[in-house]
Amino acid sequence: MIKIGILGAAGYTGGELLRLLVNHPEAEIVFANSESNDGNLISDVHEGLLGECALRFTRNDDFSQADVLFFCFGHGKSRQFLEENHIPEGVKIIDLAQDFRIKAEGNDFVYGLPEINREAIRKASHLANPGCFATAIQLGLLPLAKAGLLTHDISVNAITGSTGAGQKPGATTHFSWRSDNISVYKLFAHQHLHEICQTLNILKPEGAPHVADTLNEGYTPDGITVDFIPYRGDFARGIFCTEVVKLDTDMTADAVAQLYRDFYQEAAFTHYSDKALDLKQVVNTNKALVHTEVFGRKVVVTSTIDNLLKGAVGQAVQNMNLMFGLDERTGLRLKASAF
């Protein structure tokens, strides 16, 4: 059994992670940490776990009890936590914040997108789980990037559910504001753009244009940009994304579709669909679905995921499975609702 410690376990991602792990056949939760809920029953906070989990939140834990620690902190706190605490050698870390997603000197965290980094993830001790928008957008663009077809600015629109903003209430997450409403935020400046561009530049063939967002230091006028407009949706969970890519050459719809089928043929959870997508196909699952259509020399890519699962803790458990030599589907055979 894999012994697991969860830090920052009282939020949405912590609750979803607990929901997965209490039913994982190879997992044993040894502690779930929450400073504000120390001593409280987990099921009093995550009420959907009533009858499934009798554990209480803890505050001061012996990290050596765990084989792996999941960091479910807010962005910026993971780095601070590691500076202030000693994690015993041999204890693996899976960080769900953005602190270690960008490669830098001294950063040994592997970027946890299994569709391109499966073998590196198997060997990783420290893993940076991708962001939710970043996962959906990258999965829509990876086949085109690898084929060297990203040669013009890329237009991206994506809408996310309210759980993407976290559990702490705010003006734009309040039900009376969010219901029957839609709004734009962080135009061309979303933090996930940095990791998206990093991946596309690693994957592109030598000589292909550099990809950057306009606020990135790597942006150059002769490069190409990912122009991303995020939307807040009036639903709880899920991300639905459309990407428009202009090609320099003619490609048939069948040729583009085959490019995607070939790229994802070994992927455990990412699937190409011949039909137009809808959000309910992926909600409450770890699946990512991708669809393409061709209009002249423009490819419109649609991709959709559950932001809390494939966009967060589902992918984190998928990565844990790889890190411990399990089938990456273990504990993640979840089914979408038909309605």
Side-chain angles (χ1 to χ4, degrees):
M1 299 290 280
I2 304 169
K3 297 185 182 299
I4 294 164
I6 304 171
L7 305 177
Y12 283 144
T13 55
E16 282 291 281
L17 182 59
L18 285 159
R19 180 174 73 89
L20 292 180
L21 293 177
V22 294
N23 293 299
H24 192 293
E26 300 295 332
E28 178 188 350
I29 303 167
V30 292
F31 61 81
N33 181 291
S34 170
E35 293 184 3
S36 60
N37 286 282
D38 184 23
N40 294 335
L41 282 168
I42 287 174
S43 59
D44 282 347
V45 175
H46 302 302
E47 295 181 354
L49 291 173
L50 182 64
E52 295 184 70
C53 181
L55 293 173
R56 293 180 180 271
F57 289 108
T58 57
R59 182 171 182 175
N60 298 311
D61 299 295
D62 178 3
F63 302 133
S64 65
Q65 297 178 77
D67 298 315
V68 59
L69 298 175
F70 285 88
F71 288 2
C72 297
F73 299 132
H75 299 310
K77 192 171 180 181
S78 297
R79 187 180 298 275
Q80 178 185 347
F81 182 86
L82 287 176
E83 291 171 354
E84 296 174 352
N85 295 272
H86 171 69
I87 306 300
E89 188 175 351
V91 177
K92 298 180 187 293
I93 296 171
I94 298 175
D95 181 29
L96 280 91
Q98 66 184 30
D99 298 29
F100 299 102
R101 293 173 188 163
I102 304 303
K103 297 304 295 181
E105 186 176 351
N107 177 8
D108 67 346
F109 280 68
V110 170
Y111 188 66
L113 193 64
E115 288 76 7
I116 57 169
N117 283 340
R118 183 176 286 104
E119 294 310 311
I121 292 167
R122 291 186 199 277
K123 302 171 185 176
S125 294
H126 300 154
L127 184 131
N129 213 59
C132 53
F133 270 134
T135 296
I137 293 168
Q138 288 176 98
L139 293 177
L141 295 175
L142 295 180
L144 297 174
K146 187 176 182 182
L149 296 172
L150 301 182
T151 54
H152 297 271
D153 290 351
I154 303 155
S155 297
V156 179
N157 292 269
I159 186 167
T160 186
S162 57
T163 52
Q167 192 171 28
K168 187 176 180 180
T172 58
T173 60
H174 196 286
F175 176 80
S176 60
W177 185 90
R178 195 101 179 197
S179 181
D180 300 319
N181 200 6
I182 188 170
S183 64
V184 169
Y185 69 111
K186 295 184 179 178
L187 282 164
F188 285 24
H190 196 281
Q191 65 272 15
H192 290 181
L193 277 168
H194 299 307
E195 60 189 280
I196 293 167
C197 294
Q198 174 179 257
T199 298
L200 297 179
N201 285 318
I202 290 170
L203 205 60
K204 70 180 177 63
E206 186 176 353
H210 182 79
V211 184
D213 59 273
T214 53
L215 298 182
N216 192 309
E217 316 183 318
Y219 171 69
T220 58
D222 58 343
I224 59 176
T225 59
V226 178
D227 298 331
F228 174 32
I229 301 176
Y231 296 85
R232 303 179 182 95
D234 68 340
F235 48 93
R237 56 195 298 162
I239 288 175
F240 196 88
C241 174
T242 57
E243 297 148 299
V244 180
V245 176
K246 183 179 178 182
L247 305 180
D248 281 332
T249 185
D250 292 324
M251 287 187 72
T252 66
D254 287 343
V256 173
Q258 192 59 48
L259 186 72
Y260 277 75
R261 291 190 197 98
D262 291 345
F263 190 93
Y264 290 122
Q265 63 181 339
E266 302 296 329
F269 293 103
T270 301
H271 308 286
Y272 181 82
S273 173
D274 290 321
K275 299 178 181 179
L277 306 178
D278 65 76
L279 190 64
K280 284 190 175 181
Q281 290 175 275
V282 297
V283 170
N284 291 318
T285 81
N286 198 52
K287 289 190 294 186
L289 298 183
V290 184
H291 173 71
T292 60
E293 296 190 34
V294 176
F295 300 89
R297 287 193 173 182
K298 288 185 178 179
V299 179
V300 179
V301 184
T302 311
S303 58
T304 185
I305 63 171
D306 185 308
N307 61 295
L308 290 176
L309 289 169
K310 184 59 174 168
V313 299
Q315 187 153 245
V317 172
Q318 182 182 355
N319 285 323
M320 180 196 77
N321 289 338
L322 288 167
M323 293 165 76
F324 286 90
L326 302 177
D327 184 315
E328 61 192 287
R329 299 173 180 85
T330 305
L332 290 169
R333 299 179 188 276
L334 310 169
K335 295 181 179 180
S337 171
F339 303 102

